[in-house]
Amino acid sequence: MAKWIWNRGDFEIYHASLLNNRREDKGHYSAPMWRTDGIRPNALLYKIAELDVPEKLRVHANCACSVRVNDAVYDADTDIELKKGRNFVKIFVYNQTGLPAAYAEGETFASDESWMSAGYGADDLNVGCNDMYLDRDDDPSVFVFRYETLTPVSAEKLNGGTLFDFGRETFGLLHVKNEKMSCGTVDVIYGESREEATDAAHAIITDKFDTSRDGASYRARALRYVFVGSESVTVTLDYEYLPLEHKGRFICNDATVNKIYDVCAYTLHLNSREFFLDGIKRDRWVWGGDAYQSYFCNYYLFNDFDIVRRTTLALRGGDPMTQFTNTIPDYTLFWIIGLYEYYFNSGDIDFLRFACTKLDGIIRLIDSRLDDRGLFIGKRGDWVFIDWADTAKTGCVCAEQVLLYAAYDATAKIYEACGYDGARAFRARADAVADTVNSLFWNERLGAYVDCIGREDRQNVVTRHANIFAILYGVADERKSAIIRKKVINNADIAPITTPYFEFFELDSMAKLGEFGYIRDMLMNYWGGMLRQGATTFWEQFDPSRKGSEHYEMYGRPYGMSLCHAWSASPIYLIGRYVMGVHPTSVGYGTFEVSPNTLGFTDFDGAVPTAQGDVEVSLHDGRFTVTAHRDGGTLIVGGKRIPLGRDESVSCPV
Amino acid sequence: MAKWIWNRGDFEIYHASLLNNRREDKGHYSAPMWRTDGIRPNALLYKIAELDVPEKLRVHANCACSVRVNDAVYDADTDIELKKGRNFVKIFVYNQTGLPAAYAEGETFASDESWMSAGYGADDLNVGCNDMYLDRDDDPSVFVFRYETLTPVSAEKLNGGTLFDFGRETFGLLHVKNEKMSCGTVDVIYGESREEATDAAHAIITDKFDTSRDGASYRARALRYVFVGSESVTVTLDYEYLPLEHKGRFICNDATVNKIYDVCAYTLHLNSREFFLDGIKRDRWVWGGDAYQSYFCNYYLFNDFDIVRRTTLALRGGDPMTQFTNTIPDYTLFWIIGLYEYYFNSGDIDFLRFACTKLDGIIRLIDSRLDDRGLFIGKRGDWVFIDWADTAKTGCVCAEQVLLYAAYDATAKIYEACGYDGARAFRARADAVADTVNSLFWNERLGAYVDCIGREDRQNVVTRHANIFAILYGVADERKSAIIRKKVINNADIAPITTPYFEFFELDSMAKLGEFGYIRDMLMNYWGGMLRQGATTFWEQFDPSRKGSEHYEMYGRPYGMSLCHAWSASPIYLIGRYVMGVHPTSVGYGTFEVSPNTLGFTDFDGAVPTAQGDVEVSLHDGRFTVTAHRDGGTLIVGGKRIPLGRDESVSCPV
């Protein structure tokens, strides 16, 4: 079977450009804050093979194209005879306005990942392709979504117009049908909340409808509500989505937790499109930190590897790399860590090797920011983010060094997996950074890593952030972790984490420290709290102390906050990883452990997907039961290790 | 006055992509052999200025656009009020299918080269703009040409069709008008020669005409003849050209030489388009070696600096630089040498500084090919060209080292002019290469630089190429030059130069050695020979021993040769530089010399343009007369140096 093929990596850069430049704000084009890259407008795609018997070949392209077979030149869409023996087939494509791509129908020479793409001085690489584009009539310049028609659950006459409610947050192309033509244009106001849809002055996504026409269709947007300033209209919505299967599942004796799991899954799904997005309404951008967390949730829900690959390449962008991912060095470090996590979960060495061609440029950029101790110091234009919190943003920031350690550690493992030189050098770099962090940032008196060194104002400031990272990424040893648990994590004097973004890291580290009560409380109060506020998807931020529409305010704007934000889907991961307790212990889930926790539930049934089969975990009558539909598992309960045979159910008391 | 503005350098990369991918061969798309680069699809263009009084601003773009003034956001094509005091105006543009560009109408904030473009991690640079795009309704995605309607000088019924002759080589959009509709499609065959236009099987540029239609229009192509396979058609041509002024001129007592000068000028003009092309029919590509020679002719004919800038940027392409210009290392070295020549002729330090941002990547690429002696050794994929001749193409090639010396020398001068560090280092590199070449390649017994070292088969081979370069670029001292003159240049046993490409360098070096008789002979025999064959533009190659249509054969194809090839225009340069004898002796023609030679003429009148005024040179009654319409000149005749006052005529005996 043939596949559309192109210069590998350019599909993602091209669609990232389309996506990141699609943001709008009250009708204005809203440009990304970081560099958008273009792609090479042409490609030379080739394959060499010996044929035992002659074969036919026919090449199709989405652009200008010619085909050279040995010494003869052919056009696209003509029948080509390949002779017996060695054939060298070159396809030249040129597309100035889209992604140059070709599709070769044949036998041995059917286009697929065995084809090569000329590097023009750089190494030739295998071509890019994607199982979304297997048909001759496809066009990889157009991203493929599925559609489903939705009708509003209610329509309400209001202020001379109509307010439609689709019942929950959704995303799609609005179609307005006008029953009675008049004249003049009226507002079309999208709202994630009723308040936003009825506030023309402050709503973020707005459009116009010409009432002299019998209808109109609009580009895909996020909404639960939409207000159209006419009483004579009806609307439908082409819900636009990616057909990702919810392979992970969890149901327990607590209805709120079940609802949380479902709403998390839906929230993540809405944000899982060309790439993992931050939120579905406002930015709709690809952010490295948000994506990193989505990867973890994805492994436990869709277990879709392609969206991780796509997101990884989109975030990396082109060369030369002149700034950090989204301008944020921490996000670039997460790119490396996330790449190794991808490999560890998927075992996909082919992608790892390809992504490795993009690693050098990152390392060079990081190197340009190292001080003579080998520590990371941001330059002007680098946005040291860590969190929306009062952590140091300049100088020698502890949290950044811990991520630097983790990124070097990941680089060493990546190089090792690929069999490349340099693994040892990065192992040494990692060890050196860990040692330096422990000697320069650890304060025994405070029982914590300090936020920052070399700045008088922050020398003795302790934030949760660096300490959480130190536990998560293993810079803190067991003794230090125990001290941090007492002096930082369980210390009400240390400012609490306030963003769901960093809550992901906090809860992950809490779970590592066995603080399951805290996780249960957060589920009920934080995510349960949003549900009690009527959330149909989870929010960018939640402050239980706010009232009514105050909840929607952020970045100084009444509806600035995203009500459907991927980073709020972390319970998917936390439940899969720590309640069902499933996690790989070697590359590609070759071996894995199941270490379930009740988290206070009396009953649950669930499953965690892996590439070679699901792992079902349940709790009933005080016993965990695990059925792994794949080899390599070990159940760990109460210190006992029980091997899990493929498709066998193993049960043991809690 | 406002100008369209964009990310500087991207205009040229964008139009180079369009141009280089426009080549066709019997209807097939014919891809460039080197990497084609894309551009960044968006731009952040900005300006900060203090206003004494409020001003109006209105921004227009050729794509998605928004404008941020201080903290307020505006759409394109709306009136914006700029307040008194400091204003920070940002224009965001996004164009996925063309060159993102904007046009701001206003006073202080009218868009021009004072605006900056965000570097996104790289340095912010001044924007790009071009005097071709000064009107709000322009679009820099579209290159601007002039048009003039031509009608054929003859039409001849032939083989059931009509052969049209436009009288001389030209280039444009053919329009066919059909007087009598019938059915079926017939051939449209373009020919630079009558033979080509009547040889459907071998003609290179062909099209089809549908005789059921009353007419058709075609894309711009080169032709003198066109055959349409119908007797009922008439044709016209929209001659497409750049309105370049022929500022240089030369007329003498020899009608053949006058014709040569005019045909050279026309040949160069046809090839002077978006960039300097090689030939107008076949490749229509931008080649570094061809362009380098066109620069010299241009300084003496159009003296148009913009086309040199455009060509320089088009040849350089984007980053990271992974291969040499057109894959040819010699062409990359000419890029550097040509850049300094540009500065030396124009004095344009602004462009030099900008081009300098592109120099690092070139030096890095060169560095990757140096052996431990600092000499250039090509790698697989590098096309060591030098000439279509039997010179060494692999190993340590002498001609390449001489160009390496010249490129280092130019780099040192460029850095010095810009006031950058590194000038001294490149001066040292240049000296070291010259010393190494003189010690390793010079063979006193042979009285020549040998072609190549380290290869048994070529150790003692002498070609003209390396020796000509050694004289031209100053690696050979006076003593060695004199020996080379005797042992190589005037040695019939050394294979002669056979291409007009290298003839440029040979004649230039001959002139430097005072061998004017040879130049006169070449003019009469080589260029005069083409005229006697009926040439209306000068050819890619000319072998007087060929007969009839054999002249059109090249690259193994009956009409493979280009009959309008820029590198055959060198008499323009040779006459301006050595007959009229005008040449700069300091940057930007700040000082210049006029050292005329009769070349055997009894009378001539001519002029050489410079940015600040023409220099007229004539020969009558045994006296040279020079009128420099600018300061800084010195007339040198018979060893005497006579200062040239501005606009004063100075006359002296030959």
Side-chain angles (χ1 to χ4, degrees), chain A residues 4-7 10-11 14-15 18 38-45 60-66 91-102 138-142, chain B residues 13-14 17-18 20-22 29 31-32 36-39 95-98:
Chain A
W4 280 88
I5 57 174
W6 51 76
N7 288 325
D10 277 2
F11 175 81
Y14 176 73
H15 284 285
L18 294 180
I39 56 168
R40 290 214 321 252
N42 63 8
L44 162 50
L45 312 166
H60 182 65
N62 66 354
C63 57
C65 173
S66 64
I91 302 177
F92 299 90
V93 280
Y94 164 60
N95 193 336
Q96 192 71 49
T97 60
L99 178 76
D138 291 338
D139 179 1
S141 295
V142 179
Chain B
I13 292 176
Y14 175 73
S17 174
L18 293 180
N20 283 322
N21 284 290
R22 208 179 278 142
Y29 160 64
T36 299
D37 291 318
I39 56 169
N95 193 337
Q96 192 71 50
T97 60

Side-chain angles (χ1 to χ4, degrees), chain A residues 17-18 21 28-29 31 34-42 66 73 75 92 94 96 120-121 319-320 322-323, chain B residues 14 17-18 21 28-29 31 34-42 66 73 75 92 94 96 120-121 319-320 322-323:
Chain A
S17 174
L18 294 180
N21 284 291
H28 304 295
Y29 160 63
W34 50 87
R35 200 181 75 181
T36 299
D37 291 318
I39 56 168
R40 290 214 321 252
N42 63 8
S66 64
V73 181
D75 282 323
F92 299 90
Y94 164 60
Q96 192 71 49
Y120 293 95
D319 283 303
T322 55
Q323 63 181 177
Chain B
Y14 175 73
S17 174
L18 293 180
N21 284 290
H28 304 294
Y29 160 64
W34 50 86
R35 199 181 75 182
T36 299
D37 291 318
I39 56 169
R40 290 213 323 250
N42 64 9
S66 64
V73 181
D75 283 323
F92 299 90
Y94 165 59
Q96 192 71 50
Y120 293 95
D319 283 303
T322 55
Q323 62 182 179

